[in-house]
Each structure stands twice: as C-alpha cells, then as structure tokens.
Amino acid sequence: MQADLPILDDFSLASLNTFRIPARARHYLEVRGAAQLDAVRRDPLLAGLPRLVLGGGSNMLFTRDFDGIVLHMAGLGKEVLGERNGRILVRAQAGENWHAFVQWTLAQGLGGLENLSLIPGTVGAAPIQNVGAYGTETKDVFHSLSAYDMDSGEVRTLDAAACRFAYRDSLFKHPEGRALVVLDVTFALPAAWSPNLRYAELARAVEEAGLTAPTPLDIGRTVEAIRRRKLPDPSEIGNAGSFFKNPVVSRERCARLLAEFPQLVHHAQADGSEKLAAGWLIDQCGWKGRALGAAGVYPKQALVLVNLGGATGKDVVRLARAIQADVKSRYGVELEPEPVFI
C-alpha cells in the first residue's frame, strides 16, 4: 500500500450517513482530488477491493459493514466562471455541502438553485441522483461535470446528454457508469431569472407571504421554511429524506385508479404519464407515525422513514418492505426506494 495514501482501517461510518446507522469500513480514504483516486487505482492491494464512493451519506442505507474501501469525496472549492449564451456558469468541487453551495450562489445574486435549498448531501452527489424538489431537478440547471474513470485512469468531462438524466436517475447509477467518480460539477444558471412556481405548495407559500416580486433569496427562504416544517433535521433524527420515489404510471392506469380512489393525488407529466404521490399512498395505508421496532414513519411526512434510536439498516429495510407490501396490496403500485442499500 502506497505511503502517500492516508488509509484508515476499520473505520466507523455512523457519523457519515444521515440515517446514523452503525456500520464500519474495512478501509477509508478522504479524497481531495483525482491524484488520490489514481493512486488507489494503481495500488495492487486496493485496486481489486470493492469500492464505495461516499458524499454526504444522505442517500445510503447501510445494512452491513463494508468490506472494501470507502472513498469519501472531500474536495472543496467553488467559483463563478462567467456568462455564456445567457447562462452564468458556476463550478463547485464534489465535496462541497449542497445547501451551503446553494446559499453561496444566492449570496452572489444568482438564481436557479433556490428551489433545491436545504437538500442534504454534497454537490458531487446531486447529478448522480438527479436531485430535485419543488419543480426543479439538477438536470434543469446542469452544464457539465468532471469525473475520474477508475477503469481507464482518465478524467472525463460529461455533458447533460452523456449523464443520461432521468427521474432520480443518471448514468452513474448503472453498471456502465459506476467506475466514474464525480470530481466537480458546473451549473448553468439563468442570467435573466424568473421564479419557478410550478409547484403548487411553493406558489401558495409565496402568495401567503405577500411576495409579489420575489427574489431568488426569497424563494430559497420559502423553500427552507416549508422543508423545516415538514421534514426532520438529520442532525436530530436519523433519516435519508424521501425514502421512496413517486411512482410513475400510464394515464390509463391512473384513470383506473381514480375510478376506485377518487382522492388519489397525481400529477400529469410532459410525456403523458402520471406521477403518483408516494407519501399519500403510504398515508392512506395508515403508516404515518407508525413504527416497527426502532424504525418508524415520520408523523409529519409519510414519505420519510426515521431512525427512532438504535435502529439498524435491517430494521429500516423491514419497515420499508412492510410499507411496500401494503401499498402494493391496496393500490397495485410498486414503491421503489430512493436510497442505495449497502
């Protein structure tokens, strides 16, 4: 093992995942840039080990210890690159805290990321999950990223098409993209900004606040207030935010469900499909506020599973499977978890 790699062995990951699940890594490395990834790739003892790339740990559920090397992306730095074709390009390193980065862009007077305020995690993880909230997704404000290829040793630049963004999905979650480690992300923010109020709850909150000409900072603060009201703070209650994706069904399937369940919450999509509200489905099955052992459903938002204290990953999985079974039995709809199970 090369001496310039500060590898830590038998490393606790409990503080590096927002569920606060106890787990340990056989090896752990805090990564500041491509040089360390290249050293790992060339090390004969490390190259063949299973790898786990970790950001803020806000989209992972550890069900066991990790018998390999955890690469914790910790590179910091952010800059405004300038304007191009009516867009202002802003770059941040993968280890930057996502919410702090959003706040920084707003402090620069730049709009575009405000609807994504207070989402836990890091900048590098945002394109992997194509994180989204309140009518905005990462792909909507994405320009490009740099990634280190653990197979070839090359640093690659990928644009939006190459990232293959979809709902809570991207190239990086599929086998052909799993060797790519995101180093930095460049965002394209509108030079001529206007508020995105397509999400009804956000539009109502802005109206109720009397914001007739809201600024990006106004929208960001409004989103923060909504999220703080509805969602638990991971520093106080272990959770990974929304645990299930909102299921997407055909228009015909949605119509059949509406005939049986007239109050079904659904949202028409541009491609003609319908997105169902997973939280509503879970709530209707009576799970809001319930628990199985040390894992429970947050009383204010049925989409969020929480660690009530001392839960293991297997406890959370057991709860998730029970919820999936009930929703499937009542509505015939499959719920897909958002977090990656390790």
Side-chain angles (χ1 to χ4, degrees):
M1 193 175 295
Q2 298 180 18
D4 59 346
L5 286 176
I7 301 289
L8 299 176
D9 298 329
D10 190 27
F11 188 82
S12 173
L13 302 171
S15 65
L16 297 181
N17 72 94
T18 58
F19 251 121
R20 302 215 295 270
I21 297 293
R24 306 191 74 83
R26 179 177 172 187
H27 301 301
Y28 168 89
L29 174 65
E30 189 175 90
V31 177
R32 296 286 175 176
Q36 287 170 302
L37 295 174
D38 196 60
V40 169
R41 177 178 174 271
R42 295 175 182 277
D43 189 289
L45 295 179
L46 298 176
L49 291 176
R51 293 188 305 268
L52 174 64
V53 179
L54 184 65
S58 59
N59 198 48
M60 288 187 174
L61 177 64
F62 286 99
T63 62
R64 55 179 172 79
D65 292 338
F66 187 73
D67 190 24
I69 182 167
V70 168
L71 303 173
H72 187 197
M73 304 306 293
L76 300 177
K78 47 192 180 293
E79 59 183 324
V80 178
L81 301 178
E83 185 174 342
R84 184 183 303 171
N85 300 323
R87 297 276 173 170
I88 300 171
L89 302 186
V90 182
R91 177 177 297 152
Q93 299 301 304
E96 286 283 346
N97 175 273
W98 175 259
H99 179 61
F101 171 62
V102 172
Q103 293 294 99
W104 178 80
T105 63
L106 295 176
Q108 310 304 305
L110 302 175
L113 298 178
E114 59 282 343
N115 290 39
L116 303 177
S117 295
L118 210 62
I119 293 177
T122 57
V123 167
I128 294 173
Q129 181 72 359
N130 186 23
V131 297
Y134 300 100
T136 299
E137 289 184 316
T138 302
K139 68 177 180 61
D140 301 326
V141 287
F142 179 87
H143 178 269
S144 59
L145 60 77
S146 298
Y148 182 83
D149 190 327
M150 296 295 293
D151 288 341
S152 70
E154 299 174 322
V155 175
R156 296 173 51 187
T157 299
L158 285 76
D159 61 12
C163 289
R164 290 169 27 192
F165 292 123
Y167 174 57
R168 301 297 178 270
D169 197 17
S170 70
L171 165 73
F172 310 97
K173 299 181 77 171
H174 297 270
E176 58 271 31
R178 291 198 177 123
L180 299 175
V181 181
V182 176
L183 298 172
D184 60 60
V185 186
T186 301
F187 298 88
L189 308 182
W193 176 86
S194 60
N196 174 2
L197 299 176
R198 291 193 298 269
Y199 197 87
E201 183 180 14
L202 178 57
R204 283 195 303 270
V206 168
E207 182 179 2
E208 289 168 1
L211 298 170
T212 56
T215 65
L217 189 56
D218 290 332
I219 300 298
R221 287 172 174 166
T222 303
V223 168
E224 283 188 58
I226 294 172
R227 292 183 69 91
R228 291 187 195 281
R229 186 173 67 245
K230 293 172 55 176
L231 303 173
D233 184 341
S235 67
E236 298 176 1
I237 304 174
N239 74 94
S242 298
F243 194 88
F244 296 103
K245 298 179 183 180
N246 289 317
V248 177
V249 301
S250 68
R251 183 182 298 167
E252 295 74 20
R253 176 79 181 283
C254 184
R256 291 196 296 272
L257 284 167
L258 280 168
E260 187 174 356
F261 307 101
Q263 303 303 313
L264 179 76
V265 178
H266 61 102
H267 304 280
Q269 304 299 292
D271 63 359
S273 64
E274 296 277 348
K275 184 181 290 184
L276 309 183
W280 185 88
L281 297 172
I282 296 167
D283 192 5
Q284 294 301 303
C285 289
W287 278 101
K288 184 186 285 187
R290 285 180 58 190
L292 285 181
V297 180
Y298 192 55
K300 296 181 181 179
Q301 172 53 269
L303 201 51
V304 177
L305 306 192
V306 295
N307 180 353
L308 297 172
T312 66
K314 291 179 180 178
D315 291 333
V316 178
V317 171
R318 182 166 68 103
L319 174 62
R321 298 296 185 234
I323 292 170
Q324 287 174 303
D326 277 2
V327 170
K328 173 72 172 177
S329 175
R330 183 168 184 178
Y331 296 101
V333 173
E334 300 275 2
L335 291 184
E336 182 182 350
E338 281 198 30
V340 177
F341 291 10
I342 304 298

